[in-house]
Amino acid sequence: TLPRPDRAPRSSPAPARMFFDDKPKVNLRGKSSSSDRQLLLARAQRERDERQRQRALLRAALLLQSAARAHMALARAREAIRSEFDAAVDASLAQRVEPGVGGSLAAGFASLVRQLLFFHAAPLDDGRRTWLLGALVEALAAEAAAAPSSGLLRASLTPSLTASLVALCLQRLAAAAAGSAGSAASAGSGA
C-alpha cells in the first residue's frame, strides 16, 4: 500500500526519554543562583548610585545658576542705585545747594550715605566717596557755624551709618598707607 499523502509516515517510536531528556532545565520557581542574585544586586546598586550622582549634579547646577542670577541682579541693583546717586548729586550741583530730599539737608545726606554704602566698589566709586565726604564735612561745618545747638545733620546720620562710612574710609586709607609704605620701602632698598 502506498502511503496517503495527507499523512506522514509513521516512524518507529522513540525510546521513552521522558525522564532523560538533554534539554537544559529552566527553574520556574523564581529563584536565581547566588551569582545571578549578586549580579542583579550589584547592577541595582550601580543604578541607584548613578541616579544619586545625577541628582547631586542637578542640585549643583541649580545652585550655580541661582548664584549667577543673584550676582547679576545685585549688579543691576547697584548700577540703578549708583545712577540715582549720580542724579541726586548732579541736581544738587546744578542748583548749587547741598543735597537734600524734599528740602531736608539731613535726610538727603543720610539717603546718599546709604546709597553709597550699598553700591560702593573701590576703584570705581572713589570719586563719589570723596565728593560725599567733602560735602558732608562742609555741611557739618556750616551747620555748626549757623546753629551750634541744632545738630539736625549730625542726628540724621545714625551711629551705624557713620560707623559704616568710617570703616569704608579707613579701609581705603589703610590700603593707601600700605601702598605708600611699600613704595617707600622699595625706594629705600633701591638706593
Side-chain angles (χ1 to χ4, degrees), residues 172-188:
R172 297 299 296 158
L173 289 174
S180 65
S183 64
S186 66

Side-chain angles (χ1 to χ4, degrees), residues 11-30:
S11 60
S12 62
R17 296 178 56 99
M18 181 185 301
F19 300 107
F20 304 107
D21 59 351
D22 293 332
K23 292 181 184 177
K25 294 187 181 188
V26 176
N27 187 350
L28 299 176
R29 292 182 292 171

